[in-house]
Amino acid sequence: MVALVIGLASTGVVVGGIAPAAADQAISSAGPLTNIGISSDLNCSVNHAGDAAGEFFANTACATEISVGGTTYGPASIPSGNSPGGFTPVSQSAVTGSGTNASPFKVVTVVDVATTGLRITETDSYVTGQESYRTDVQIANPTEGALAATLYRGGDCFLQNSDRGFGATGNPPGSVACVAPDSGNPAIPGTRIEQWLPITSGSHFYESTFFNVWSAMSSGNPFPDTCDCATNEDNGAGLSWAVSVPAAGSVTLSHLTTFSPLGSVPLSVSKTADQATVNAGAQDGYTITVSNPNPSSVALSTITDTLPVGFSYVAGSTTGATTADPSVAGRTLTWNGPLTVPGESDGVPGTLSLHFGVTVSTIPGTYLNNAAATSSDFTIAPSGDTAPITVQAVTTTNLVTSITGTPDTVTAGKDVQYVVTTQNVGPTTVAAVRIVDTLPSGAKLLSATPSSGLCTGTTIVRCDVGPLAPSASATATLLVRTPFTVPEGGVITDSATAKPGANNTATHDTNVVAPTPGAVSGFVPAGGSISTGGPNPATLTLPPPGPGTADGAFVEMSQTDGGNFCAGPCVGTVTAINDVQGYTNPNLPLKLTISYRYTDPLKALIDFLATDSYKAGEVGPGAKIPNCADDPSWTPEQKRAARFRRLIRLGTHSGIANPSPCEDARTITLRPNGAFRLTYTILWLTGDPHFARR
């Protein structure tokens, strides 16, 4: 068994006014951790801006230790500690970096472990302004056989200039801490903490008297996952990992050490994969979750993800906390903030998540992923290597693919639905099936719905539908808007295939015909006209400003709910009404608004109270616009509500266009310039996508 131990010990004597501990290398900064020392045989020391004394007893009662074959090795001198010795210093770097998230301060220390053949490379790093620093311990084994070991990281707490304190665990999960007594009532814990938080999974924790912590490290056994949390004592704490170091290989174990007067703890990042097993070259997805156990929200500067070798990001696939694509530098994806993680509520940490798709490697194997985040105010523990995906070799399969399209003939600019079905006609399960559909040229994807799994892409749609057992089928349903012009030959072709495998491609032809302009059913303000035919399906002319329109003012016309007559209120002539989408659903009609401006308030009021919106001769060729009627399918309660809205002319529309067109709302408002505006909201249905009714 190999054990790595970081321990803390104490004499029970309060030591005050201690200068920064002597160390072979020390990271100095503006704080709040002003000095982080690392000796050449892996003692550690920390000074906090708020304390006169170091954070460990006698400054250096903090260590990295390892137990191998029943013997524990570590620094030769630990104040009131076990002082096991056995580390032979090999090298130690100078302090590098600038103290930023992109370039943290860093010290690398290398020691050999007695005659075991093991070599420890410890990297300690710190970002100025944070209350945590990070330690990564790599154990390398150059021998021909695997070695079992237990690694410890811990110390004898001297928190807030005091040798006594309480304990705490589990916030965040896996952490252990010394807690200073409350300044007003030393019989209860306060807020200030000295905490060890694992980044690498599989750790065990211990908080007890300093003597018990050192003794546990000397035993070579993993820490017992216990805490004297409610006892005010001369305490220490730490983490341990039991590991097997492979022959001619290495393992790396990481954690954060936090010193916070207010008890603020690091946030943590976790990562999961959509599918644990996929075919080589197929698509999968990841979800990154940032958890915040602190009471206040935290603003993130970035979220980053380091993709496995051979993996690539699927453009346009990010959802959740943001829909923006990340910047990509090699295998590193970076989503920039600000992104806010809410604080905990009722003991439940606040979370923020985002999901994205990847194309996996073409080389079989098991791949791990690492995600992280940064904040200017808080330390955030990365996920570590996690979210394993096993990429398997593509094998010969028996998939049969077919396509149906509805309708077979469609007016240009209207929608067609394609259903792609693939069936496994082979004798064995296909572990990961992807349906790939290539849209017709000029068509636009409106939606893609798989029977299971996830679809990505726009012109080439990839739907990963998961495993298919023998005789089982999967589908991908695509709603597609056809081109607004009739293609050459009058036919568009959709094609699809299923992977893995070959020779299972299917196609479907859809006939596309031009829209046929018919008699336009609509209205036009006084002085305007509407007609069909000519180069456009419909032409609408509005009157220009001037006499003959509402007391000599002018007429505006605007359209909402889609389409584009003009950029804002339309005044004068509007032509080429050929880009308006079809509105055939009575519950989702086209909504048009006509506004008249009045200088005479009495005329405005008379027109507002008129039974019809317009009198004969004022709307088109003598037409009137009736009020919208009830939907026959509505309940009596719905009908009463609609009638009430129409009675007092509230709201934008009642949700129906019956008959079509019909007046749905009428309002009168006093403008800041003293004029009155009378506005009519008209609903109507169109029989084709170009505004002319069929």
Side-chain angles (χ1 to χ4, degrees):
M1 163 79 59
V2 173
L4 169 61
V5 180
I6 297 179
L8 303 170
S10 166
T11 63
V13 178
V14 175
V15 180
I18 299 177
D24 294 303
Q25 287 294 342
I27 296 170
S28 298
S29 76
L33 306 186
T34 58
N35 188 281
I36 301 168
I38 305 96
S39 74
S40 59
D41 62 349
L42 302 184
N43 289 95
C44 45
S45 63
V46 176
N47 291 82
H48 191 283
D51 294 332
E55 302 308 310
F56 300 108
F57 175 75
N59 276 334
T60 57
C62 165
T64 298
E65 297 185 8
I66 188 167
S67 178
V68 185
T71 301
T72 296
Y73 306 94
S77 177
I78 301 173
S80 297
N82 58 347
S83 303
F87 283 167
T88 301
V90 175
S91 65
Q92 188 173 47
S93 74
V95 177
T96 61
S98 58
T100 64
N101 277 309
S103 177
F105 291 126
K106 187 176 295 184
V107 173
V108 179
T109 308
V110 182
V111 300
D112 284 336
V113 183
T115 59
T116 64
L118 295 179
R119 172 168 287 188
I120 291 176
T121 301
E122 178 175 307
T123 303
D124 294 278
S125 54
Y126 177 63
V127 175
T128 302
Q130 296 190 351
E131 295 183 324
S132 306
Y133 79 98
R134 174 170 173 157
T135 302
D136 300 278
V137 180
Q138 182 196 68
I139 312 169
N141 175 19
T143 70
E144 295 179 356
L147 288 175
T150 301
L151 175 71
Y152 303 87
R153 282 281 300 168
D156 178 357
C157 298
F158 200 82
L159 181 60
Q160 200 169 295
N161 306 314
S162 173
D163 209 17
R164 302 182 65 85
F166 298 88
T169 64
N171 186 29
S175 66
V176 64
C178 295
V179 182
D182 184 80
S183 58
N185 182 3
I188 62 173
T191 59
R192 186 159 191 173
I193 61 168
E194 182 172 321
Q195 182 196 74
W196 290 259
L197 171 64
I199 295 173
T200 306
S201 62
S203 65
H204 296 274
F205 63 83
Y206 190 30
E207 187 276 335
S208 188
T209 67
F210 75 93
F211 179 82
N212 288 342
V213 172
W214 291 122
S215 296
M217 297 164 88
S218 295
S219 74
N221 296 316
F223 280 151
D225 292 331
T226 61
C227 174
D228 300 343
C229 292
T231 304
N232 188 347
E233 59 191 3
D234 188 349
N235 63 342
L239 299 171
S240 72
W241 290 263
V243 297
S244 177
V245 188
S250 66
V251 295
T252 299
L253 306 167
S254 306
H255 76 95
L256 298 175
T257 312
T258 299
F259 306 84
S260 176
L262 298 179
S264 299
V265 295
L267 283 68
S268 58
V269 180
S270 60
K271 185 77 178 291
T272 58
D274 293 352
Q275 301 178 78
T277 303
V278 295
N279 285 332
Q283 286 193 351
D284 204 343
Y286 288 113
T287 298
I288 299 175
T289 301
V290 183
S291 298
N292 177 18
N294 298 288
S296 60
S297 61
V298 173
L300 304 182
S301 303
T302 63
I303 294 176
T304 60
D305 187 90
T306 303
L307 293 177
V309 174
F311 281 47
S312 61
Y313 173 74
V314 176
S317 64
T318 298
T319 59
T322 178
T323 56
D325 281 333
S327 61
V328 181
R331 294 189 291 119
T332 300
L333 313 179
T334 301
W335 290 266
N336 292 313
L339 300 167
T340 301
V341 189
E344 65 85 21
S345 177
D346 295 328
V348 179
T351 60
L352 176 145
S353 296
L354 64 80
H355 179 276
F356 64 95
V358 293
T359 300
V360 306
S361 173
T362 57
I363 300 174
T366 297
Y367 295 82
L368 299 174
N369 185 278
N370 196 304
T374 62
S375 169
S376 61
D377 302 317
F378 281 80
T379 304
I380 303 176
S383 67
D385 286 335
T386 188
I389 293 177
T390 298
V391 176
Q392 62 184 9
V394 177
T395 58
T396 302
T397 58
N398 293 303
L399 298 177
V400 176
T401 303
S402 61
I403 305 178
T404 61
T406 306
D408 286 328
T409 299
V410 64
T411 300
K414 300 195 86 172
D415 302 340
V416 60
Q417 177 177 279
Y418 296 112
V419 178
V420 183
T421 302
T422 186
Q423 182 181 21
N424 179 11
V425 297
T428 60
T429 296
V430 181
V433 175
R434 170 184 286 183
I435 296 173
V436 180
D437 186 277
T438 301
L439 297 189
S441 176
K444 177 183 178 182
L445 180 69
L446 301 179
S447 65
T449 306
S451 55
S452 61
L454 175 72
C455 290
T456 58
T458 53
T459 56
I460 298 178
V461 183
R462 302 170 180 87
C463 298
D464 290 300
V465 295
L468 272 187
S471 301
S473 297
T475 62
T477 302
L478 284 65
L479 184 61
V480 174
R481 179 148 295 159
T482 60
F484 279 98
T485 58
V486 177
E488 185 177 353
V491 174
I492 57 175
T493 300
D494 186 73
S495 63
T497 188
K499 298 182 178 181
N503 302 320
N504 56 22
T505 298
T507 60
H508 184 86
D509 291 338
T510 300
N511 298 314
V512 180
V513 297
T516 304
V520 175
S521 174
F523 63 95
V524 185
S529 64
I530 190 167
S531 62
T532 61
N536 304 303
T539 299
L540 175 64
T541 302
L542 294 178
T549 59
D551 194 34
F554 65 87
V555 180
E556 299 172 327
M557 183 173 183
S558 63
Q559 174 200 357
T560 59
D561 293 343
N564 181 25
F565 284 154
C566 57
C570 307
V571 178
T573 300
V574 178
T575 60
I577 307 176
N578 59 1
D579 56 357
V580 181
Q581 304 305 314
Y583 289 85
T584 58
N585 182 350
N587 294 315
L588 296 172
L590 186 70
K591 180 172 64 179
L592 301 177
T593 301
I594 297 180
S595 296
Y596 287 83
R597 293 187 181 183
Y598 293 81
T599 57
D600 183 348
L602 180 60
K603 178 171 177 52
L605 182 61
I606 291 173
D607 282 1
F608 176 73
L609 296 176
T611 303
D612 294 313
S613 301
Y614 306 95
K615 298 179 177 62
E618 291 184 338
V619 181
K624 295 184 179 180
I625 306 299
N627 289 333
C628 295
D630 295 331
D631 188 319
S633 66
W634 282 359
T635 65
E637 290 76 13
Q638 290 174 311
K639 292 181 179 180
R640 282 195 295 271
R643 289 168 183 162
F644 177 76
R645 286 195 300 271
R646 288 196 295 273
L647 176 65
I648 60 175
R649 296 296 188 251
L650 294 179
T652 55
H653 70 78
S654 59
I656 60 171
N658 183 21
S660 177
C662 59
E663 179 192 334
D664 184 70
R666 188 186 324 175
T667 58
I668 186 170
T669 55
L670 176 63
R671 308 302 295 168
N673 60 4
F676 287 84
R677 176 171 290 182
L678 178 56
T679 301
Y680 302 98
T681 301
I682 310 299
L683 307 182
W684 77 26
L685 303 180
T686 66
D688 63 48
H690 295 143
F691 199 83
R693 286 197 77 180
R694 302 290 293 273

